[in-house]
């Protein structure tokens, strides 16, 4: 959840007068400011798990999509190759001033000029980790902290060191498989029992969900650590909560297999084929992740609400539908300026899970 003032939260429920302060910086240093009047479409999509699953260790790239009015051809002469976009969304407060929220920095991946618009697709700095890890010169054995530091240095991405867990965990050998730096970041996050993402300040950070229970007096509760949605435009709510009962960690050594299950296998998340996990450490990893995950129920659902730029994937939410409230976590969301915002909490049902395994 991106921090905002109480006045910002009040304005979200009343005037809802937004502005954007986005800037495109071309590779030659030219800066192109954007305003709300320039837009035909404005969306930011982010996730902390793959669609349809509840994953440990996901490292999903955030996508920024806009369409700009180009009826007069104002953008025709610009070269958008390797350009960056800084996204900033503001909301007018009751005193007439604006409070701005940073929504990240993105590298333009595709810019297409049509009859009357310029369509731009851009991705956050997680994209920079899409390089072969064979380029790494880090000496192993190495700790998780050293692996992350080295990857960020090589790929020129800043990181939030305070979010690293299990930082002293030692990896004996450099993986020999054909992997990217992003794969390595994902494997590190998996060991920590986290998801990896680029935060709204442009730093690689690691996090995990805060699983809630619905307060007895919801109207009087403190909502500083979660969002409460009541006025829904659409909703699809799973019939039951998902309750993770166990964490199973498995590695393969030549022709043998080593496994450790923390909890029970009734609804267990499985970690396997992680080349950074070594023999003898499975119990430590499973217990660390299990403490954060086991017996913490949440309700899978998909809803649409009024757009709110402070909502992030990974946030805790309470959703009220026809006088019933459900506690869940956001695994995917799409901010849509001028439209509704999609909020998704995804997980396989117990029946679906009997036919698939996480890896």
């Amino acid at each position: 959840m991106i921090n905002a003032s109480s006045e910002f939260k009040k304005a979200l429920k009343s005037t809802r007068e937004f502005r954007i302060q986005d800037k495109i910086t071309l590779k030659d240093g030219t800066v192109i400011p954007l305003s709300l009047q320039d837009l035909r479409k404005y969306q930011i999509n982010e996730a902390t798990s793959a669609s349809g699953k509840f994953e440990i260790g996901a490292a999903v790239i955030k996508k920024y999509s806009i369409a700009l009015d180009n009826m007069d051809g104002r953008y025709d002469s610009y070269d958008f190759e390797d350009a960056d976009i800084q996204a900033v969304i503001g909301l007018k407060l009751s005193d007439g001033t604006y409070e701005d929220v940073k929504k990240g920095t993105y590298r333009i991946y595709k810019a297409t000029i049509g009859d009357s618009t310029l369509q731009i697709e851009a991705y956050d700095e997680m994209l920079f980790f899409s390089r072969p890890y064979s380029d790494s010169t880090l000496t192993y054995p190495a700790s998780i902290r050293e692996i992350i530091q080295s990857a960020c240095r090589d790929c020129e991405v800043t990181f939030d060191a305070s979010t690293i867990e299990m930082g002293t965990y030692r990896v004996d050998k450099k993986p020999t498989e054909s992997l990217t730096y992003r794969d390595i970041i994902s494997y590190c996050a998996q060991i920590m029992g986290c998801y990896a993402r680029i935060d709204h300040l442009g730093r690689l950070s690691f996090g995990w969900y805060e699983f809630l229970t619905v307060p007895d007096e919801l109207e009087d509760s403190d909502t500083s650590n979660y969002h409460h949605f009541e006025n829904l435009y659409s909703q699809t709510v799973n019939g039951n909560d998902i309750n993770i009962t166990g964490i199973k960690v498995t590695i393969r050594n030549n022709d043998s297999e080593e496994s450790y299950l923390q909890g029970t296998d009734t609804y267990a998340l499985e970690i396997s084929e992680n080349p950074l996990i070594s023999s003898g450490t499975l119990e430590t990893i499973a217990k660390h992740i299990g403490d954060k995950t086991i017996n913490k129920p949440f309700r899978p659902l998909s809803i649409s609400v009024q757009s709110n730029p402070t909502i992030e994937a990974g946030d805790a939410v309470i959703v009220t539908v026809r006088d019933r409230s459900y506690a869940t976590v956001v695994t995917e969301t799409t901010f849509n300026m001028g439209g509704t915002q999609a909020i998704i909490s995804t997980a396989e049902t117990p029946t679906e899970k009997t036919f698939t395994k996480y890896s």
Side-chain angles (χ1 to χ4, degrees), residues 52-119:
K53 295 183 178 182
F54 187 79
E55 292 183 313
I56 302 169
V60 181
I61 299 177
K62 193 181 300 181
K63 182 179 180 180
Y64 171 104
S65 306
I66 59 173
L68 299 174
D69 185 350
N70 194 40
M71 185 71 74
D72 57 3
R74 73 185 78 172
Y75 301 112
D76 289 357
S77 62
Y78 291 117
D79 179 6
F80 292 99
E81 187 73 22
D82 290 333
D84 290 322
I85 299 179
Q86 183 180 33
V88 179
I89 299 173
L91 180 63
K92 192 174 184 178
L93 307 182
S94 59
D95 63 1
T97 63
Y98 280 85
E99 182 174 340
D100 292 325
V101 171
K102 292 183 179 180
K103 292 292 288 182
T105 302
Y106 305 85
R107 173 64 52 87
I108 292 181
Y109 187 77
K110 183 189 296 184
T112 306
I113 294 176
D115 292 337
S116 61
T117 62
L118 170 66
Q119 303 274 349

Side-chain angles (χ1 to χ4, degrees), residues 231-351:
N231 302 314
L232 311 178
Y233 291 94
S234 66
Q235 66 274 336
T236 302
V237 180
N238 196 56
N240 300 98
D241 285 343
I242 293 296
N243 189 30
I244 297 164
T245 64
I247 302 294
K248 184 178 182 181
V249 183
T250 302
I251 61 171
R252 181 175 293 278
N253 293 314
N254 299 320
D255 295 329
S256 64
E257 187 175 272
E258 180 182 350
S259 294
Y260 183 86
L261 174 65
Q262 176 73 11
T264 71
D265 62 1
T266 305
Y267 192 105
L269 300 185
E270 183 174 346
I271 293 174
S272 61
E273 300 180 8
N274 184 328
L276 304 187
I277 297 177
S278 57
S279 179
T281 66
L282 281 64
E283 181 177 353
T284 298
I285 294 170
K287 286 185 175 180
H288 174 75
I289 300 173
D291 288 344
K292 302 165 63 172
T293 307
I294 294 175
N295 293 327
K296 298 181 185 296
F298 64 96
R299 182 64 61 103
L301 50 77
S302 176
I303 62 174
S304 59
V305 300
Q306 285 186 319
S307 284
N308 176 351
T310 69
I311 300 171
E312 297 182 288
D315 286 354
V317 302
I318 292 176
V319 177
T320 299
V321 181
R322 293 191 292 274
D323 298 325
R324 289 194 63 186
S325 296
Y326 309 95
T328 192
V329 292
V330 181
T331 59
E332 183 178 356
T333 184
T334 302
F335 176 84
N336 184 15
M337 181 68 78
T340 59
Q341 182 160 355
I343 305 290
I344 297 172
S345 178
T346 185
E348 293 174 306
T349 67
T351 300

Side-chain angles (χ1 to χ4, degrees), residues 265-268 348-358:
D265 62 1
T266 305
Y267 192 105
E348 293 174 306
T349 67
T351 300
E352 289 173 326
K353 201 170 182 310
T354 60
F355 299 103
T356 59
K357 289 188 177 181
Y358 292 94

